[in-house]
Amino acid sequence: DPNYYRDPKTGKLNGIIAETAVFTIGSLVKLPPTCKLASLCRDTLNTWASKGCTTIFDAGIGSVRLKQDENILASVTSVPIPVRFYGALAIQIAVTTALPPITLGKVKVQTIKYWGDGSTQGITAALSSPYLNRGDEKGQPSYPSDDALYKAMEPLFRNGWHLMIHANGDAAIGQALRVYKSLFEAFPQKDKSIVHRIEHFTVTENDDLIKTAAELGIGISHTILHVFYWGHTFDKWVLGPPRAQRIDPVREEVEAGALVSFHSDSPVSEVNPLLYVRTAVTRLMFGRDDEEPLGKDQCVDLLQALRGVTINPAKQIKMDQDIGTLKKGKFADFVILDRDPRSTPGPELDKINVVQTWMGGKRVWPA
């Protein structure tokens, strides 16, 4: 199994694992009691509320242990929490005959999560052209063919589930788009209000990927802090220019009419919406404010960046009738900041402090 790395001289396992091996090893790790884990989770949710979050979407419930996750969610939500909590069920444990939504604890789940490839910084994302200075290495899609992915997605799509697929590399993104197109053609009567989506959409060497996503109405959600934390590494060691310059190509996507949001992929990057906004507006990299931004032609204006953490993700999880904007009839979710983002220079947007977070018309942070 290539996901278990071995010493090239001895052939013995060297302790390094990747991708699906994590599920096997993770299932063997002894965890603290559920009550302790739930307490830690509630502490984390309070931290996220302090960052201005009112809604959280966990895009991988049950990816290692379904029952464990279900017990934790039940315990976490057994008392009031400062955020709304939704999520996606990992395909590994999805029941293909089930109909949405289902409830885990008090968490409503109407989404199924697939993994189409690995990590760009981990050199396991599926690219159409080789990684920088790595010979012919391009990574591999998780599904060996479009037909294999179609067969995995079709039963749940047919039953009305909202689908999302992790795809970092352009080869995996292309495969996901082809399969979505085939599903839409096979079931033209399906609910058009559901925004099926692609997580990450990081490397887009082929401009047609953005156009196709917009035409199909596929939602795009970026780990935008790839630009902030890994931009320099992508540029110099992983992808090289010009591919690295246009990772997470938000401006092109917005101009094409795509629905774009930003997420943390926690713990890959921290939950910090104002840092996402700052990065989308400036494309500046960590510790490199005095250097050229990474792909400055992909910068967007403040309003577009704010939509990426408000109404756009609400639409992508089919909750825009209740959240995402302040409007009569919606939940009164909002934050109070210590300064106006509209009069704050782009590089200082992440220095804005959240003074209060309100959910449903009630202050939840500070409690």
Side-chain angles (χ1 to χ4, degrees), residues 36 73-74 82 90 112 121 149 184 191 221 224-225 230 247 300 303 305 347 359 367:
K36 177 62 175 177
L73 287 173
I112 302 296
Q121 58 268 32
L149 179 57
F184 295 163
D191 188 349
S221 191
I224 193 65
L225 296 189
W230 285 283
I247 63 167
V300 293
L303 180 58
M359 182 181 72

Side-chain angles (χ1 to χ4, degrees), residues 340-358:
D340 188 341
R342 296 169 298 180
S343 57
T344 302
E348 297 179 15
L349 287 167
D350 63 320
K351 303 298 190 295
I352 296 174
N353 294 310
V354 175
V355 178
Q356 294 180 10
T357 302
W358 290 64

Side-chain angles (χ1 to χ4, degrees), residues 65-348:
R65 295 181 175 96
L66 172 60
K67 197 61 184 178
Q68 183 83 34
D69 281 5
E70 186 173 359
N71 291 339
I72 293 170
L73 287 173
S75 183
V76 169
T77 57
S78 64
V79 298
I81 55 176
V83 295
R84 305 184 191 282
F85 203 131
Y86 303 96
L89 196 66
I91 184 56
Q92 293 93 321
I93 44 78
V95 178
T96 58
T97 56
L99 298 177
I102 63 172
T103 302
L104 299 176
K106 294 183 180 179
V107 177
K108 180 181 177 181
V109 177
Q110 56 188 358
T111 306
I112 302 296
K113 170 73 172 290
Y114 296 79
W115 280 263
D117 67 350
S119 158
T120 313
Q121 58 268 32
I123 319 296
T124 53
L127 305 180
S128 59
S129 300
Y131 285 93
L132 184 65
N133 299 325
R134 288 182 174 267
D136 295 330
E137 188 170 359
K138 297 189 290 186
Q140 293 291 328
S142 301
Y143 292 85
S145 66
D146 291 7
D147 186 58
L149 179 57
Y150 182 93
K151 288 179 178 177
M153 297 177 78
E154 187 270 343
L156 291 145
F157 181 87
R158 176 163 31 89
N159 283 347
W161 286 88
H162 170 227
L163 305 183
M164 59 190 297
I165 182 166
H166 161 123
N168 272 300
D170 52 351
I173 294 168
Q175 182 184 62
L177 289 171
R178 291 191 300 273
V179 171
Y180 273 131
K181 185 174 186 292
S182 296
L183 288 168
F184 295 163
E185 291 173 347
F187 301 93
Q189 75 283 7
K190 281 301 173 185
D191 188 349
K192 301 294 194 300
S193 68
I194 297 177
V195 181
H196 301 285
R197 76 192 215 193
I198 295 178
E199 296 296 286
H200 307 310
F201 213 93
T202 306
V203 182
T204 54
E205 189 172 6
N206 183 348
D207 294 346
D208 289 342
L209 296 176
I210 297 171
K211 179 181 178 183
T212 300
E215 289 175 347
L216 291 174
I218 298 298
I220 296 171
S221 191
H222 290 302
T223 311
I224 193 65
L225 296 189
H226 275 153
V227 173
F228 184 67
Y229 286 119
W230 285 283
H232 182 73
T233 300
F234 283 178
D235 193 48
K236 303 302 181 185
W237 292 287
V238 177
L239 298 172
R243 284 187 298 180
Q245 296 292 319
R246 64 190 306 269
I247 63 167
D248 301 346
V250 182
R251 183 189 61 79
E252 290 182 49
E253 293 159 353
V254 169
E255 290 180 352
L259 187 70
V260 184
S261 71
F262 309 129
H263 65 262
S264 67
D265 201 22
S266 176
V268 173
S269 70
E270 74 264 36
V271 173
N272 190 342
L274 286 169
L275 182 55
Y276 310 160
V277 170
R278 187 241 200 201
T279 301
V281 169
T282 67
R283 304 276 296 192
L284 292 170
M285 295 175 283
F286 179 74
R288 298 177 182 275
D289 284 6
D290 296 331
E291 298 182 11
E292 187 76 5
L294 185 76
K296 62 181 179 181
D297 57 340
Q298 295 297 339
C299 295
V300 293
D301 63 33
L302 177 64
L303 180 58
Q304 293 292 353
L306 288 170
R307 286 174 176 161
V309 295
T310 53
I311 187 59
N312 288 0
K315 290 179 178 178
Q316 289 181 350
I317 64 171
K318 205 177 178 182
M319 287 297 299
D320 54 299
Q321 74 278 7
D322 293 323
I323 61 174
T325 56
L326 286 176
K327 185 178 180 181
K328 184 177 180 180
K330 287 191 174 186
F331 299 141
D333 295 0
F334 60 92
V335 296
I336 298 175
L337 307 175
D338 71 347
R339 72 191 90 163
D340 188 341
R342 296 169 298 180
S343 57
T344 302
E348 297 179 15

